[in-house]
C-alpha cells in the first residue's frame, strides 16, 4: 500500500503537499502515510481512491486491478450481454 500511494502520486506528477491539501492534513502527516509511520484513516483512503479513480482494495494491496468497482461491474455486465 505504501508504495502504491507514492507511485500514484508520482505518476500524476503531484507533490506531497498537493495530496495533503486534498486530505486536509499537513505535508508531514501525508509523508508519514507514505512511509508507513502513520496509519491512513479509512476516510482518507476513500478520498484517495476516488481522486485516483481506483479502489481502496488496490491502494491496500488486496488486488492488482486498478479499476474502480463500478467500472469493473459495468464491463462484466457488458461482457455478459454481448456473449
Amino acid at each position: 500500500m505504501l508504495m502504491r500511494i507514492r507511485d500514484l502520486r508520482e505518476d500524476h506528477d503531484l507533490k506531497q503537499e498537493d495530496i495533503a491539501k486534498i486530505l486536509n492534513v499537513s505535508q508531514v502527516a501525508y509523508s508519514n502515510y507514505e512511509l508507513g509511520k502513520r496509519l491512513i484513516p479509512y476516510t482518507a483512503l476513500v478520498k484517495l481512491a476516488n481522486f485516483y479513480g481506483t479502489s481502496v482494495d488496490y491502494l491496500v494491496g488486496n488486488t492488482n486491478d486498478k479499476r474502480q468497482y463500478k467500472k469493473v461491474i459495468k464491463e462484466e455486465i457488458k461482457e455478459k450481454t454481448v456473449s
Side-chain angles (χ1 to χ4, degrees):
M1 174 184 65
L2 306 176
M3 289 302 287
R4 287 194 170 162
I5 65 170
R6 179 181 174 189
D7 288 344
L8 284 168
R9 177 181 58 78
E10 290 176 346
D11 289 347
H12 287 81
D13 296 322
L14 296 169
K15 298 178 183 175
Q16 288 183 343
E17 295 86 7
D18 301 325
I19 302 301
K21 286 179 187 177
I22 291 167
L23 300 179
N24 199 28
V25 297
S26 70
Q27 179 273 326
V28 172
Y30 180 76
S31 175
N32 286 331
Y33 295 159
E34 283 192 357
L35 295 171
K37 293 181 179 180
R38 185 174 179 179
L39 292 176
I40 303 174
Y42 179 73
T43 54
L45 282 173
V46 171
K47 279 185 181 180
L48 288 172
N50 288 331
F51 178 76
Y52 289 123
T54 192
S55 69
V56 171
D57 275 345
Y58 176 76
L59 294 178
V60 300
N62 287 341
T63 183
N64 290 323
D65 190 342
K66 286 185 177 182
R67 298 174 296 169
Q68 287 179 310
Y69 290 123
K70 56 188 166 192
K71 290 181 182 176
V72 172
I73 292 169
K74 284 180 184 178
E75 289 174 12
E76 288 177 359
I77 291 170
K78 187 177 181 179
E79 287 174 6
K80 288 179 183 178
T81 58
V82 171
S83 300

